[in-house]
Amino acid sequence: MFDAPDREAWQRPEEVLRALALEPTMRVADVGAGTGYFAVRLARAVPAGEVIATDIEPDMVRYLNERARREKLANLRSVQSTGTGSGLAAASVDRILVVHVWHHLDDRERHARELAAALRPGGKLMIVDFSMAGHRGPPAHMRVPPEVVVAELASAGLSARVLPVALPDQYIVEGRREP
């Protein structure tokens, strides 16, 4: 499911990576990385940087560390997070990517504050989640409207906006920590 062959057509990973505006030496976190769909792409996009992939499932962490070794991605490491925290240190990353996770979180404002604190000055947090009218994703009652995500990131002290990136069933909200 995580790496289904048809995912690239609707996920449009290259557009998501372009929105991140990555530089080769950046330190990037993929929060809720699962099997590494984005983490491996991020590792290739920051060859002189580092990617920290977090997940709450120990089997996912183990799988992704094995995948990084198998695919010779020395700049990718997976670490276990908890339901209450990502495990990212304060002011430690330039970019944070959160894909299809936001709607699962219980206390999103607390998570927003924690992730905002993990950003270096000028850093960006990108939330990619399912649109209210999308054909894929969780049931409608579980989805989070993009304007709610914007408000949650703003309450964490980030400048937040919905990006004008056209994904078939998803939106991208960007939160930026001021320099």
Side-chain angles (χ1 to χ4, degrees):
M1 177 179 86
F2 292 111
D3 295 309
D6 70 331
R7 183 173 179 183
E8 192 160 334
W10 61 266
Q11 182 67 77
R12 299 190 181 164
E14 295 308 317
E15 291 182 44
V16 173
L17 291 180
R18 194 170 18 261
L20 285 165
L22 298 169
E23 295 175 16
T25 59
M26 285 185 165
R27 191 164 196 237
V28 182
D30 182 358
V31 174
T35 60
Y37 182 84
F38 274 102
V40 296
R41 286 168 170 82
L42 292 166
R44 291 182 183 115
V46 295
E50 180 183 13
V51 175
I52 304 156
T54 72
D55 205 282
I56 62 171
E57 295 294 333
D59 288 339
M60 292 293 186
V61 172
R62 191 171 23 262
Y63 173 84
L64 188 48
N65 280 326
E66 290 168 3
R67 182 176 181 183
R69 279 190 293 281
R70 189 172 58 249
E71 296 186 28
K72 297 178 178 28
L73 296 168
N75 65 334
L76 170 60
R77 66 183 170 94
S78 186
V79 298
Q80 189 166 351
S81 58
T82 67
T84 58
S86 69
L88 299 172
S92 65
V93 292
D94 301 294
R95 298 288 187 272
I96 300 172
L97 180 62
V98 183
V99 179
H100 305 158
V101 172
W102 207 249
H103 66 270
H104 289 291
L105 301 176
D106 290 328
D107 188 351
R108 293 188 308 269
E109 288 187 2
R110 183 183 48 72
H111 284 281
R113 285 190 304 274
E114 189 224 350
L115 294 175
L119 288 172
R120 293 176 176 157
K124 294 180 183 179
L125 163 62
M126 300 283 191
I127 308 291
V128 179
D129 220 319
F130 293 102
S131 62
M132 299 308 288
H135 294 88
R136 288 175 184 80
H141 73 276
M142 289 182 64
R143 298 178 191 214
V144 181
E147 58 274 11
V148 170
V149 179
V150 167
E152 291 165 347
L153 298 187
S155 76
L158 300 174
S159 300
R161 66 188 178 114
V162 178
L163 293 183
V165 177
L167 300 176
D169 296 304
Q170 303 154 94
Y171 58 81
I172 301 176
V173 172
E174 172 192 86
R176 181 170 187 207
R177 183 173 177 181
E178 296 305 318

